[in-house]
Amino acid sequence: NNHKSDSRGALIVLEGLDRCGKTSQSSRLLSFLERLGYLVESWRFPDRNTGVGQMISSYLANESQLDDHAIHLLFSANRWEKRSLMETRLRSGTTLIVDRYSYSGVAFSSAKGLDIEWCKAPEMGLLAPDLVLYLDIPPEKAAERGGYGGERYEQLDFQRKVDHSYQLLHDVSWKTVDACLPIEDVEKQLGEMALDCVTTCQKGKALSQLWS
Ligand code: Z5A
């Protein structure tokens, strides 16, 4: 199956509210595509391992305070510092499953009241996902899943605003899945959608840029 690396990999992004199941589903999707013989890696944003990522991590843990615009730009910088590696991986045939991306950046900052177009601007020119899998869950249901309350943003009233912001960002690359279904059912739907996308990219679909 190594011949599959002759063509490019797909950029697949998982988005949704906190506790919607992104982390669980990224690892299931990774195994699914690996079993089929594809080159695939699992990524996530924020990437807390870089210098910028550590600033973000301390902000999220409420260990530091930052102006809303400043933290927005740090989240964006954290994607820019991975952009060229992302392109290299995709062009060498590796499919990337990315847990959160620019849509989180815009949804969370605009939920705080920042202008949505201002929020999108620093994301322009990053690679556009081939597929955005939106794990749809009512904020109340997500809150019931537990583990809530540790980090900044993990509050029901704020998650409701994020939910609203996400609705403004849907584009043709989005596919919505009901994240309240049993884990295995969600997994199956995501697998089919991802496979379809990987095949389309193999056939030569061009890479494009976000919001430009
Ligand atoms: N943020 C931002 O502001 N700007 C940006 O640009 C970016 C992010 C990229 C940290 O993100 C915060 O940064 C995040 C957005 C903001 N804040 N919030 N909220 P993070 O990625 O580090 O953290 P997270 O997204 O909140 O991830 P999470 O807590 O790990 O949630 P999850 O990945 O969506 O869910 P999970 O861990 O897979 O599942 C949660 C629980 O539900 C777990 O117990 C599962 O077993 C259970 N689960 C999962 N699926 C199901 C189903 N189908 N049924 C029942 N139970 C389920």
Side-chain angles (χ1 to χ4, degrees):
N1 250 340
N2 291 333
H3 301 292
K4 285 182 174 165
S5 65
D6 294 348
S7 46
R8 79 164 175 97
L11 179 54
I12 301 177
V13 167
L14 290 166
E15 285 283 1
L17 296 180
D18 188 37
R19 304 294 159 207
C20 66
K22 292 179 285 63
T23 304
S24 322
Q25 294 298 339
S26 341
S27 66
R28 284 161 186 250
L29 196 49
L30 179 85
S31 319
F32 171 70
L33 293 173
E34 276 177 349
R35 280 199 303 275
L36 293 176
Y38 290 100
L39 294 170
V40 49
E41 281 179 16
S42 152
W43 286 31
R44 68 179 308 145
F45 289 107
D47 178 340
R48 303 189 191 216
N49 299 313
T50 69
V52 172
Q54 282 164 22
M55 291 174 73
I56 294 171
S57 192
S58 119
Y59 171 83
L60 288 171
N62 284 306
E63 288 158 6
S64 63
Q65 307 306 321
L66 284 168
D67 174 83
D68 290 343
H69 302 80
I71 183 63
H72 181 78
L73 295 173
L74 288 180
F75 272 114
S76 184
N78 188 230
R79 284 182 278 281
W80 277 101
E81 61 186 345
K82 304 301 293 258
R83 188 200 183 284
S84 77
L85 182 63
M86 184 178 261
E87 183 164 351
T88 305
R89 286 282 192 279
L90 292 169
R91 292 203 187 280
S92 72
T94 301
T95 283
L96 304 179
I97 298 164
V98 184
D99 188 343
R100 292 196 184 281
Y101 196 55
S102 302
Y103 307 93
S104 284
V106 176
F108 281 79
S109 293
S110 66
K112 293 172 171 175
L114 301 192
D115 177 73
I116 195 160
E117 294 307 320
W118 186 91
C119 292
K120 281 178 162 182
E123 308 295 322
M124 290 176 187
L126 288 171
L127 294 173
D130 297 296
L131 175 64
V132 178
L133 296 167
Y134 186 69
L135 301 191
D136 193 25
I137 187 169
E140 297 72 20
K141 285 265 190 259
E144 283 167 15
R145 286 187 179 171
Y148 235 35
E151 289 205 326
R152 202 187 284 261
Y153 303 154
E154 297 185 343
Q155 287 145 14
L156 183 54
D157 55 342
F158 187 68
Q159 294 289 325
R160 285 195 180 109
K161 290 184 185 155
V162 176
D163 184 47
H164 174 75
S165 298
Y166 264 130
Q167 308 315 316
L168 306 172
L169 294 173
H170 288 221
D171 60 38
V172 291
S173 66
W174 284 50
K175 292 220 182 339
T176 299
V177 172
D178 181 357
C180 296
L181 294 173
I183 291 191
E184 293 72 21
D185 294 9
V186 178
E187 176 183 1
K188 187 160 179 287
Q189 288 189 34
L190 296 184
E192 284 165 7
M193 291 167 176
L195 191 53
D196 200 47
C197 172
V198 170
T199 312
T200 307
C201 292
Q202 270 185 323
K203 286 181 186 154
K205 180 183 178 237
L207 268 177
S208 62
Q209 295 185 2
L210 206 51
W211 296 325
S212 40

